[in-house]
Amino acid sequence: MDSFTAYVESHKDQFLAELKDFCSQPSIAAQGIGMEEMAALVREQMERLGAEVQLLSVDDGPPVVYAEVGEGERTLLIYNHYDVQPPDPLNEWESPPFEPTMREGKLFARGVSDDKGELMARIQAIEAYQVAFGKLPLRIKFVVEGEEEVGSPHLAEFASTHADLLQADGCLWEGGGRDEAGRPVITLGLKGIQYLELRARGAESDLHSSMATLVPNPAWRLVWALSTLKDEEDHITIDGYMDHVAQPTEEELEMLRAIPFEEEKMRERFGIPEFIRGLTGVEALKKHLYEPTCTICGFRAGYIEEGTKTVLPSEAMVKLDLRLVSDLTPKLALKLLREHLDRRGFTDIEIVPYAGEHPAKSPADALIVQAARSAVEATYDQPPVVYPLMAGSGPMYPLLSACTRSPVPDQVRAGTGAQAGSRALGIPAVTMGVSYPGANIHAPNENIRLEDYWRGIRAIGELIRRFGE
């Protein structure tokens, strides 16, 4: 791979300029800003590789950029997204979010880590491989969507419609990088998620707060309802919710025990004295990766600006996300939540669901996983830390399950057993990327370290070579 590395070294200025161009284009799916322009930039970059590129429409959403390049007996599917989170709050950015800025060996911009840096690193790795070796040893298919940050509402339909087009032997997913101690990390799956709002209403309009003696307060209705969803020890108390959570298998526990969990560094970075329930070690990892969540993401009611205003609000709203594991699907989570609230007399509280995603897992012995492990070890001079799951979520299940080549086993269809749902994946996937714990993903001052970026390009080159063998 010496010629590959030499090409990357001699083209760092070009590669960095291309990454800055990507990050200079706003592409905020939640606000519909810059999506068509960003899709065009991705298409242009793919076409420079000699790829056959299509912009495939998804109802009223931004297009999916689909590209094919190379040829061979084996096919690698690469998933990324070109949309980014809103940059708010703007006053906390040290430099404008869409003006990529270098500081202390890091590039700061919205989307540079999630996910434009990873996407560009993969494109540039293919370019370097083509120049160094003349042709790719396998076929590569890109699926680059524009709605990941809003729950990928159209991706399942897209995957179903284009299932034949998407067939592959393995998938390189977005995400990954290094851990708290700088060790490379790869991951074999994701949690699911159901995002939603709870809404309560009182009087027809806001009232003077003196009327609180007689008129119900919707903010209190939400507080009382929320207090039934979790106890003070962070146990989720939604009726039946935890009944659908399987314990990790012994194989998965062995993977957890092998993870060098940098919990002290993590707590120091977060500025907290201890984790919930005082958990440490493998027990903390079990909760982090194999337990679902019920998280208040935001609460709005009445007057929340500076100073005082004695008001009885007419409506209140809370945003929740439910991270899902094993047999907990978005549909089931919503059903259990509705029934739980109704049993306690909260039939007046409205549930407004947003897009949901199923959990997904890949087997540790899959060929793509083995290729990723060896590629990372060759690039970083140490074996990767392997996580069986990522605590975050993404549309791995809808994209990869739609491409199932063989019948799903009966026990998986029935939703039984600790591995239920995991073998529904038609294409096994692995994550490896260019991020690190201080990347501030979804937050102000998002960044990547350029050292990780160059190393990430080399790792992709190694993966292409090893998976194509």
Side-chain angles (χ1 to χ4, degrees), residues 204-223:
E204 292 185 356
S205 64
D206 288 357
L207 300 174
H208 191 285
S209 64
S210 65
M211 296 305 300
T213 54
L214 299 175
V215 178
N217 186 327
W220 276 113
R221 287 292 288 169
L222 279 188
V223 169

Side-chain angles (χ1 to χ4, degrees), residues 21-30 32-46 53-58 60-66 78-86 98 110-120 123 142-150 152 154-155 158 174 395 446:
D21 284 345
F22 257 30
C23 296
S24 296
Q25 173 60 55
S27 51
I28 308 171
I33 296 175
M35 304 307 295
E36 299 292 335
E37 294 85 349
M38 191 65 223
L41 280 178
V42 176
R43 177 175 191 163
E44 178 183 340
Q45 200 69 27
M46 297 287 190
V53 187
Q54 303 177 60
L55 297 185
L56 300 176
S57 60
V58 286
D60 58 347
V64 172
V65 183
Y66 176 81
I78 297 180
Y79 168 84
N80 288 97
H81 62 92
Y82 60 84
D83 62 318
V84 302
Q85 285 280 333
F98 295 109
R110 170 54 87 227
V112 69
S113 179
D114 183 18
D115 180 42
K116 294 179 179 180
E118 287 184 351
L119 171 57
M120 184 58 80
I123 293 171
F142 274 97
V143 172
V144 187
E145 67 158 320
E147 296 183 297
E148 194 275 343
E149 299 293 6
V150 292
S152 303
H154 297 104
L155 192 63
F158 167 84
E174 62 143 340
E446 182 178 350

Side-chain angles (χ1 to χ4, degrees), residues 305-376:
E305 305 303 325
E306 188 174 348
T308 64
K309 181 181 180 182
T310 52
V311 63
L312 173 62
S314 60
E315 58 183 15
M317 180 272 289
V318 63
K319 290 182 180 287
L320 300 178
D321 77 39
L322 309 176
R323 300 281 173 174
L324 309 175
V325 297
S326 56
D327 298 341
L328 268 175
T329 65
K331 182 178 180 180
L332 177 59
L334 288 170
K335 176 177 180 290
L336 293 173
L337 177 61
R338 179 74 272 167
E339 292 172 350
H340 173 94
L341 293 174
D342 290 351
R343 288 190 194 99
R344 287 155 181 80
F346 294 110
T347 55
D348 57 311
I349 290 181
E350 180 185 8
I351 299 176
V352 181
Y354 289 82
E357 294 167 349
H358 288 63
K361 291 188 286 185
S362 294
D365 59 356
L367 185 60
I368 184 64
V369 176
Q370 299 308 309
R373 294 180 76 150
S374 61
V376 168

Side-chain angles (χ1 to χ4, degrees), residues 152-168:
S152 303
H154 297 104
L155 192 63
E157 181 181 351
F158 167 84
S160 178
T161 301
H162 300 285
D164 292 340
L165 197 66
L166 302 177
Q167 294 292 341

Side-chain angles (χ1 to χ4, degrees), residues 5 23 45 69 88 112 163 186 207 214 233 236 245 266 280 282 293-294 299 308 319 339 344 381 406 412 427 461 469:
T5 302
C23 296
Q45 200 69 27
V69 62
D88 309 75
V112 69
I186 65 173
L207 300 174
L214 299 175
E233 292 296 313
I236 298 174
V245 177
M266 187 180 292
T280 62
V282 172
T293 69
C294 177
F299 198 118
T308 64
K319 290 182 180 287
E339 292 172 350
R344 287 155 181 80
D381 299 319
S406 56
V412 173
I427 305 173
E469 290 178 344

Side-chain angles (χ1 to χ4, degrees), residues 170-228:
C171 178
L172 175 61
W173 201 258
E174 62 143 340
R178 301 210 202 195
D179 67 9
E180 299 280 347
R183 290 175 292 253
V185 173
I186 65 173
T187 308
L188 312 185
L190 301 165
K191 287 186 177 181
I193 190 172
Q194 177 61 61
Y195 199 89
L196 60 97
E197 291 179 3
L198 298 181
R199 297 178 181 174
R201 291 175 174 81
E204 292 185 356
S205 64
D206 288 357
L207 300 174
H208 191 285
S209 64
S210 65
M211 296 305 300
T213 54
L214 299 175
V215 178
N217 186 327
W220 276 113
R221 287 292 288 169
L222 279 188
V223 169
W224 294 328
L226 290 170
S227 70
T228 73

Side-chain angles (χ1 to χ4, degrees), residues 14 66 70 95 151 167 205 247 256 301 346-347 374 382 392 431 460:
Q14 171 198 320
Y66 176 81
S95 52
Q167 294 292 341
S205 64
Q247 292 299 307
L256 294 186
F346 294 110
T347 55
S374 61
Q382 59 179 309
T431 73
I460 298 302

